[in-house]
């Protein structure tokens, strides 16, 4: 889309105000050749959800580090309420929370275009993930997807959860949530001595290369993601890509002020390059499937080193640079196509 974006007869750069975009939204659509293939339309980052009543009952503060998270989750777990719920199903779709653990421990999913989640940092991250769900997670944690995590938190069946910041609109809705009045939102946990690096993503819209209306589609995308439009959609609770929208009173009212602050903090702490490296890899699904099979094995009680080694073996030497150059950004990045 660079030719359209740089065409001054189509794009008023000053009006579009790219500086108002979140830093992740500015970087996310750019491919390795500098071309932009899509325009981000929403924003989300892995966020810590807290049942304040559960923590208050034990006089426990909101955990900030992974060690604190493990201790707190253990302390609040009961026979009826799990200490923590996170995704652990053996499928690529369950990877976002676990990726934040890997990144926060200093690991990466791919390095030199090859699967790299068998590093010592990544293994330590998966070990902590497994400990949390083994020792404080719900029964059958290995089968959990995002909707199980959300439902458990909404119904008060878990004291803590980690998942998409966009869960906030359901969590804060009394018609859907039993914990709406006492739900808390916080920064993604960190490893002691390191900054947190939660996984983040943007849903994106792109234009069909065979479209007969590319200019009109591009103008629509500019309008839909512009500052004035984003302020209006944010007032309805949509997590847009603009700092001004995230800071607006309309968004804070619709999304929740504490939830908005936590989500924005997590977006600002995220590493967009490490997220793009795996999301846009032409064999992203294969690598993430293998990774989550390994995570699932560890969560289910398997040996950590074996689980990661087996997963790395399944991923193989993914990532021939010649293949990556042919494919461009993969569909796993959450693209929506405009005709």
């Amino acid at each position: 889309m660079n030719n359209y974006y740089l065409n001054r007869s189509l794009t008023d750069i000053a009006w579009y105000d790219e500086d108002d975009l979140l830093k992740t939204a500015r970087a996310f659509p750019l491919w390795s050749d500098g071309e932009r293939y899509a325009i981000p339309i929403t924003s989300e980052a892995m966020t810590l959800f807290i049942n304040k009543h559960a923590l208050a009952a034990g006089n426990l503060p909101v955990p900030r580090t992974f060690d604190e998270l493990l201790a707190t989750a253990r302390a609040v777990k009961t026979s009826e309420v799990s200490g923590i719920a996170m995704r652990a199903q053996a499928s690529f779709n369950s990877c976002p929370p676990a990726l934040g653990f890997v990144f926060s421990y200093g690991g990466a999913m791919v390095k030199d275009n090859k699967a790299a989640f068998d590093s010592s940092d990544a293994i330590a991250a998966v070990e902590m993930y497994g400990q949390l769900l083994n020792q404080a997670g719900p029964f059958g944690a290995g089968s959990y997807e995002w909707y199980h995590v959300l439902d458990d938190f909404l119904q008060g069946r878990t004291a803590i959860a980690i998942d998409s910041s966009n869960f906030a609109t359901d969590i804060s809705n009394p018609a859907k949530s039993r914990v709406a009045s006492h739900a808390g939102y916080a920064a993604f946990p960190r490893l002691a001595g390191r900054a947190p690096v939660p996984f983040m993503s943007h849903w994106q819209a792109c234009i069909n290369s065979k479209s007969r209306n590319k200019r009109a589609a591009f103008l629509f995308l500019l309008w839909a993601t512009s500052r004035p439009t984003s302020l209006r959609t944010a007032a309805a609770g949509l997590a847009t890509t603009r700092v001004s929208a995230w800071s607006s009173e309309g968004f804070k009212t619709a999304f929740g002020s504490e939830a908005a602050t936590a989500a924005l903090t997590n977006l600002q702490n995220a590493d967009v390059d490490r997220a793009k490296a795996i999301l846009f890899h032409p064999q992203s699904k294969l690598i993430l499937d293998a990774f989550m099979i390994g995570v699932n094995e560890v969560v289910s009680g398997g040996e950590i080193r074996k689980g990661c080694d087996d997963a790395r073996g399944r991923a193989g030497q993914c990532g021939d640079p010649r293949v990556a150059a042919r494919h461009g950004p993969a569909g796993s990045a959450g693209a929506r196509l405009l005709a």
Side-chain angles (χ1 to χ4, degrees):
M1 293 188 189
N2 281 3
N3 287 338
Y4 294 97
Y5 191 81
L6 298 174
N7 184 339
R8 293 300 177 263
S9 68
L10 288 175
T11 308
D12 184 337
I13 295 295
W15 173 81
Y16 192 65
D17 190 8
E18 196 171 36
D19 288 341
D20 183 45
L21 294 173
L22 296 167
K23 67 175 184 178
T24 53
R26 291 197 298 271
F28 201 73
L30 297 178
W31 194 236
S32 56
D33 59 3
E35 184 65 68
R36 69 185 76 220
Y37 291 90
I39 293 182
I41 55 177
T42 66
S43 309
E44 61 185 308
M46 292 299 104
T47 293
L48 185 66
F49 304 110
I50 298 293
N51 184 320
K52 293 179 179 179
H53 285 182
L55 266 65
N59 196 29
L60 297 166
V62 174
R64 294 173 298 174
T65 68
F66 290 114
D67 286 338
E68 290 174 359
L69 179 64
L70 180 59
T72 301
R74 282 172 177 161
V76 296
K77 180 178 172 62
T78 69
S79 59
E80 296 180 350
V81 177
S82 67
I84 187 168
M86 298 184 292
R87 306 186 209 185
Q89 206 173 92
S91 165
F92 77 98
N93 198 54
S94 291
C95 71
L99 293 184
F101 277 63
V102 171
F103 296 164
S104 294
Y105 269 74
M109 289 301 296
V110 291
K111 186 176 182 181
D112 298 327
N113 223 32
K114 309 281 195 221
F117 54 76
D118 59 344
S119 69
S120 58
D121 291 330
I123 288 172
V126 173
E127 183 174 24
M128 173 57 78
Y129 203 82
Q131 284 182 326
L132 281 160
L133 292 176
N134 277 325
Q135 299 174 25
F139 177 77
S143 66
Y144 267 49
E145 242 293 356
W146 66 264
Y147 40 86
H148 300 109
V149 175
L150 176 58
D151 189 56
D152 273 13
F153 195 80
L154 293 176
Q155 300 304 320
R157 292 195 296 263
T158 188
I160 301 170
I162 294 179
D163 215 292
S164 169
S165 51
N166 289 339
F167 282 7
T169 52
D170 283 337
I171 291 172
S172 63
N173 184 349
K176 296 181 178 181
S177 173
R178 293 183 177 181
V179 299
S181 65
H182 51 276
Y185 310 85
F188 192 83
R190 59 181 175 81
L191 188 65
R194 288 181 180 266
V197 187
F199 175 76
M200 53 66 57
S201 184
H202 294 283
W203 283 96
Q204 302 193 103
C206 48
I207 301 170
N208 194 316
S209 62
K210 293 182 172 56
S211 171
R212 298 179 181 179
N213 303 295
K214 293 187 182 71
R215 289 167 64 94
F218 179 77
L219 288 172
F220 170 80
L221 288 178
L222 286 185
W223 170 82
T225 59
S226 68
R227 183 174 182 139
T229 306
S230 294
L231 284 171
R232 295 182 65 180
T233 54
L238 181 68
T240 70
T241 59
R242 291 191 167 269
V243 175
S244 57
W246 277 79
S247 305
S248 67
E249 289 305 313
F251 179 66
K252 290 178 181 178
T253 298
F255 197 77
S257 180
E258 185 178 326
T261 298
L264 187 56
T265 295
N266 289 322
L267 282 164
Q268 291 169 335
N269 286 338
D271 184 337
V272 67
D273 291 329
R274 271 188 280 182
K276 285 168 60 178
I278 181 59
L279 286 177
F280 292 174
H281 195 288
Q283 296 183 36
S284 174
K285 183 178 182 298
L286 187 155
I287 296 171
L288 291 173
D289 269 342
F291 171 67
M292 285 309 299
I293 290 171
V295 171
N296 180 268
E297 290 177 1
V298 174
V299 168
S300 300
E303 195 270 318
I304 175 66
R305 180 77 242 188
K306 184 179 184 302
C308 288
D309 284 348
D310 288 350
R312 181 63 175 81
R314 279 187 291 268
Q317 296 298 309
C318 297
D320 185 331
R322 293 167 296 182
V323 175
R326 288 198 300 271
H327 281 257
S332 60
R336 289 286 187 253
L337 199 63
L338 287 178

